[in-house]
Amino acid sequence: MDIDVVVGLQTLLEKVIELHDKYLAYVNNCFMNNTLFHKALKEAFEVFCNKGVAGSSSAELLATFCDNILKKGGSEKSSDEAIEETLERLSSCLLILVIRTFLPNSIVLTVCCRTACRKKLARRLLFDKSANDDHERSILTKLKQQCGGQFTSKMEGMVTDLTLARENQTYFEDYLSNNPNAGPGIDLAVTVLTTGFWPSYKSFDLNLPAEMVKCVEFSGSFTKQKPNTENLRGYTHWGPELFSVSCSQASALLLFNASDRLSYSEILTQLNLTDDDVVRLLHSLSCAKYKILNKEPNTKTISPTDYFEFNSKFTDKMRRIKIPLPPVDEKKKVIEDVDKDRRYAIDASIVRIMKSRKVLGHQQLVMECVEQLGRMFKPDFKAIKKRIEDLITRDYLERDKENANVFRYLA
């Protein structure tokens, strides 16, 4: 991140705090700490903080600012004491101000910031971008004190996962050194993670080339020897970069070991990806800065009628070239994750209420559900009604035969 942007973010967040402190003093001193004025201040800042800045929400700005402090190169000129002081201010002031106080009912709420923070943390941990493990644990401790264990539980699990993964990688390397003929034939690093802790991404069944299949089978058989690792699933989305390309890009390039020329449809079929994923993939390899593949016709867009060949004449002065995939809409994905989390929360609340009451009217069920979930977010009545209908189809509830507005719990 550009240093001017970092300074701008810090200035923006500090100015928000100063502005709040200024008007909070007015409420306390001029208006005798009156609850109505406290409510007015809260509502005013809720509107203010919900307004985006340069297309980003307050939660995204906060997560970006925190990520820059903690990743390698983001705070090289700062001492440990200065970083610790910044993290202290970040947790004690900004999280209370921007998240807990002013965004309780907005789409950009605590869970949204938590999702953004988890994704930033995942990239730092998996791509070895974290500058200091102690600072990572420090900010999680501070966040836990300010926002509760629910906010940090999954992120703490991620840090623990990576610590265990490093130990497992050491055992794996020792095994390879003692059994040189049993290895997969290429350098391999295996990271076993707990699914529930890490951010979820769109899953696709990428058809890996034979070279990678051998690695997956070998690492899977080795890892399953350890306890509690029976259910393993490979994710190529977070796969480490090989020669600065992702697993899906490497899979596409390896197809050209067997064929000199491939059509779009042949690549689509062999990789077993969606059209959107293949378009992004092929665009990065044939239309971006580094043209690893030659495309016919030579245009800047990908079409189902295109053909591709490996660019054998490709050269570059850089020893290590990173070929990024075109970005996906992360903001849309965060909102989808928030909506999914809300659906699960509403379902759980309805089931808890009905399990204890057994029989309950529609209006009373809705109101009790709103009351239960009010501390996390303000659920929409239509959303609750939709979740009730879904639970009926899944045989958790049923309508009373004599009164359609009365529900019965099905054990």
Side-chain angles (χ1 to χ4, degrees):
M1 178 183 293
D2 187 89
I3 189 169
D4 292 335
V5 176
V6 177
V7 173
L9 276 175
Q10 183 172 0
T11 301
L12 170 65
L13 296 172
E14 288 176 349
K15 290 296 182 182
V16 172
I17 296 173
E18 291 176 7
L19 186 65
H20 177 258
D21 289 344
K22 173 183 176 181
Y23 287 102
L24 182 61
Y26 288 159
V27 172
N28 292 334
N29 301 327
C30 301
F31 298 102
M32 306 297 292
N33 205 24
N34 189 282
T35 55
L36 290 177
F37 284 94
H38 273 291
K39 181 181 178 182
L41 176 64
K42 175 181 176 296
E43 291 175 350
F45 268 77
E46 180 176 343
V47 174
F48 172 78
C49 289
N50 272 298
K51 291 185 177 180
V53 179
S56 297
S57 67
S58 299
E60 291 168 324
L61 291 175
L62 190 62
T64 301
F65 181 60
C66 183
D67 181 59
N68 186 75
I69 295 171
L70 294 172
K71 71 182 180 182
K72 289 180 179 177
S75 55
E76 288 179 345
K77 296 182 180 179
S78 300
S79 64
D80 288 344
E81 293 77 11
I83 295 173
E84 194 67 23
E85 181 181 352
T86 303
L87 296 178
E88 181 67 36
R89 294 189 65 218
L90 188 70
S91 63
S92 62
C93 296
L94 298 180
L95 284 170
I96 293 176
L97 173 65
V98 179
I99 302 171
R100 292 181 65 191
T101 307
F102 304 126
L103 304 178
N105 301 325
S106 167
I107 188 64
V108 187
L109 42 78
T110 305
V111 68
C112 185
C113 185
R114 182 177 62 208
T115 302
C117 288
R118 282 177 64 206
K119 289 187 175 182
K120 299 284 187 183
L121 176 61
R123 294 195 70 85
R124 291 198 303 275
L125 294 178
L126 291 177
F127 296 147
D128 193 26
K129 298 293 185 181
S130 182
N132 189 304
D133 289 346
D134 291 337
H135 291 158
E136 295 286 0
R137 293 188 180 91
S138 175
I139 186 61
L140 289 178
T141 299
K142 297 178 192 302
L143 295 179
K144 188 174 183 178
Q145 291 172 348
Q146 297 294 343
C147 301
Q150 185 180 8
F151 189 92
T152 60
S153 59
K154 292 186 177 182
M155 288 184 278
E156 290 174 308
M158 290 161 62
V159 173
T160 301
D161 261 4
L162 257 292
T163 301
L164 296 175
R166 288 168 186 159
E167 296 176 359
N168 290 335
Q169 182 62 21
T170 301
Y171 298 143
F172 185 60
E173 291 171 356
D174 291 342
Y175 175 80
L176 290 178
S177 62
N178 296 326
N179 301 273
N181 296 326
I186 61 176
D187 290 340
L188 177 66
V190 180
T191 305
V192 179
L193 307 175
T194 306
T195 305
F197 293 149
W198 296 80
S200 59
Y201 290 86
K202 183 178 68 174
S203 177
F204 48 78
D205 296 322
L206 172 67
N207 284 339
L208 296 173
E211 297 90 338
M212 289 188 178
V213 170
K214 185 178 180 181
C215 290
V216 171
E217 292 175 348
F218 176 77
S219 62
S221 61
F222 173 82
T223 306
K224 285 183 178 180
Q225 296 174 14
K226 302 183 73 63
N228 301 321
T229 55
E230 295 86 358
N231 299 319
L232 293 174
R233 182 176 182 183
Y235 283 90
T236 56
H237 183 97
W238 278 111
E241 294 176 345
L242 178 63
F243 300 113
S244 295
V245 293
S246 69
C247 286
S248 57
Q249 288 171 313
S251 298
L253 291 175
L254 287 171
L255 294 178
F256 291 88
N257 284 342
S259 302
D260 295 330
R261 192 168 188 263
L262 292 169
S263 67
Y264 172 93
S265 58
E266 288 172 329
I267 295 173
L268 178 73
T269 301
Q270 292 191 52
L271 292 180
N272 193 38
L273 297 175
T274 65
D275 280 288
D276 289 343
D277 291 323
V278 170
V279 167
R280 290 177 62 240
L281 179 65
L282 292 175
H283 188 279
S284 70
L285 297 172
S286 63
C287 301
K289 179 180 178 180
Y290 301 108
K291 293 178 174 55
I292 310 301
L293 299 178
N294 290 326
K295 188 175 79 71
E296 183 184 319
N298 186 17
T299 59
K300 293 186 177 181
T301 57
I302 302 298
S303 169
T305 58
D306 290 345
Y307 283 84
F308 300 86
E309 295 180 354
F310 181 73
N311 183 6
S312 59
K313 297 181 179 180
F314 176 81
T315 58
D316 194 87
K317 295 180 181 179
M318 300 292 292
R319 292 185 178 181
R320 182 177 178 86
I321 300 170
K322 182 176 182 179
I323 306 174
L325 282 166
V328 295
D329 190 347
E330 288 290 342
K331 184 181 294 187
K332 180 180 178 181
K333 184 64 174 62
V334 168
I335 293 175
E336 289 175 353
D337 288 343
V338 171
D339 289 340
K340 183 166 67 174
D341 286 345
R342 285 184 169 186
R343 290 198 300 271
Y344 292 152
I346 293 172
D347 285 355
S349 176
I350 293 172
V351 171
R352 280 196 303 268
I353 293 168
M354 292 303 300
K355 189 174 183 179
S356 63
R357 297 298 190 91
K358 305 301 182 185
V359 179
L360 203 61
H362 176 271
Q363 187 67 21
Q364 190 175 357
L365 175 58
V366 170
M367 296 310 297
E368 289 195 23
C369 185
V370 170
E371 184 179 356
Q372 275 196 12
L373 298 173
R375 294 181 180 180
M376 294 187 293
F377 63 94
K378 185 177 180 180
D380 181 70
F381 288 169
K382 292 182 179 179
I384 296 176
K385 182 179 179 181
K386 188 174 181 179
R387 300 318 304 161
I388 292 174
E389 296 296 335
D390 184 71
L391 289 171
I392 290 175
T393 61
R394 290 154 55 192
D395 294 329
Y396 282 91
L397 310 176
E398 68 175 0
R399 294 184 183 275
D400 185 83
K401 295 180 180 179
E402 296 182 358
N403 188 345
N405 287 323
V406 174
F407 303 103
R408 296 180 180 275
Y409 177 74
L410 297 177

